[in-house]
Amino acid sequence: MRIFVKTLLIILVLQSMVSCSKDFLDQTVTTDLDEATVFADSTYTTAFLSDIYTQIGFASAPDRFSAGFVRAGGLQTAGDEAEPLVLPSVTADLQFVTGTVNSVTIDNRAWAVPYAYIRKVNVFLKHLPTTPLSNARKQSFGGEARFLRAWYYAALLQHYGGVPLVGDAIYNATERIPAERATYEEVVNYIVSECDAAAAMLTMKPSGRQYGRAGAGACKALKARVLLYAASPLFNGSDFGEPYNSLLGYPTENQDRWRIAMEAAQDVINTGAYQMYLDNTREPGYGWYAQFNANAGGVASNVAAATGGTILEFQAGGGAQLEQLFNPPSRGSVGPGGFPYQQTIDAFQMANGKDITDPTSGYNPANPYQNRDPRFKNSIIHDQALLPAGNALSTPVDIYLGSYEGQPAGQDAVHSGTTTGYYINKFRNRDISGTDGITTSQERPLIRYSEILLSFAEARNEFMGPDTDVYNAIESVRQVAGLNPYKLPTGLSKEAMREVIRHERQVELMFESHRFWDVRRWMIAPTTESQLMKGKEVNRNGSSVNFTDFNVRQHIWRDAQYFWPIPYSEISKSPELIQNPSY
């Protein structure tokens, strides 16, 4: 492990800051600064902390695997959700779906970015006591910095398991940096302790000019996420052999870890600070859509902030970047960020909450997109879905083959614009095309309250079984989604409820970078990540239409892919740094 040391740290920090509409991320332009100058000034000190926020969304970025000037997908295209864009350079998402991931060609940002920003946190905390800030501001800034350090360690833990813990140390380029990996348990305990300490220093839910900063609620939510993972089968009773059993999990299984995870999620719920935005009056599931688009459809600005559905978000100001990433070519795509598989489409139930395989669900293979879970249309663009095009707000996307209403297949068609017959719609504002000069909020949620409810339900079901609290948590999520009825069948077994929860996580958190990790921690990846992935052709001939599945790609799974390989460049510099198994 080597962290690049920059002599004029603050110069590069300020150069790298992004312009943003939120006050605390406003750009500052200056030159000729050193650490002493920066931390002697309250504005520069604030800017230094703001810079540490700029990469909190790197791991879940929907265009994480972009290369050069070509935008591509993120973790949604590294698993069973969406087909990746094949680029001239080998990207990590393609390596994962083809089973070719290795330590030499793997993207090193999952290692380099967290450690670079952990170092920035340590520099910040070193100087914070002597800055000209008020004592109250020092406390809140210290809490934010410690949360951010925990956040970046959590990203490392997700990717690699146990990693080196550097504490408060700040190493320079001439020093030997200890690279022995801490155990999985040690890293979990460190993150939890930092979250607890940070939460005690922060307000629950920053608002006003402070909106967007981490609060105590974000600390509690991150703790709940980390502990849920720690209780999961992949980590709870690790079986990778020595020396990996301690590096990649707990050597001995302990079901009480589910209780600890349950109580951590319950702690977030008990704050009373968060709720989801329930609005099914405009249309079923409108509140679910609006939480991703705070300015949509006349809803008051910052609906997520007003209702509490978002606990932590990545702030990116205004623009149309998300719309452009997921647009079909006719809407000026600069992506794509992935093409959903047919298996992803089939995961959506009908609007009545029944699986499409249920003969009583009302599913019609000749009209497969009708009466589906409202999250479907807000997540997926299918043939004849309505999207803005220039100044027109409701223009169908023509993905069909053949001819329809006198129009032959165009640039959006399957095998032309999309390799699966679908495009991603989630995160897009339905009122803008991305090519008409109109901009909208580009904020992207990193932790949502629905995740906490589903985490609570999962942990409680595993520890206690499907009681009323489990039902209530899941049904709250389904109600906001617009399902009618949203109630679950009574009398479900623990095993049946487990499948319900896993399905809800798949659909509710789709394309938010959860599925990639969920199938691993549940240890179902050998099945989900080795499928022959499908697409859908829509063939039109005048007034007739038929739908035909076709093969897209055979995914290949290797057990090595439970974890990312530590980049070979780091292993070669530090012989004591143990590589993950089978790499």
Side-chain angles (χ1 to χ4, degrees), residues 52 236 321 570:
I52 303 173
N236 193 0
Q321 297 93 330
E570 300 298 330

Side-chain angles (χ1 to χ4, degrees), residues 11-46:
I11 295 178
L12 296 182
V13 165
L14 294 176
Q15 287 175 343
S16 70
M17 289 177 64
V18 295
S19 178
C20 184
S21 63
K22 298 293 187 289
D23 292 322
F24 87 96
L25 286 180
D26 283 349
Q27 186 174 8
T28 301
V29 179
T30 188
T31 59
D32 300 327
L33 298 175
D34 57 21
E35 285 187 28
T37 305
V38 168
F39 293 108
D41 183 279
S42 59
T43 300
Y44 296 155
T45 300
T46 302

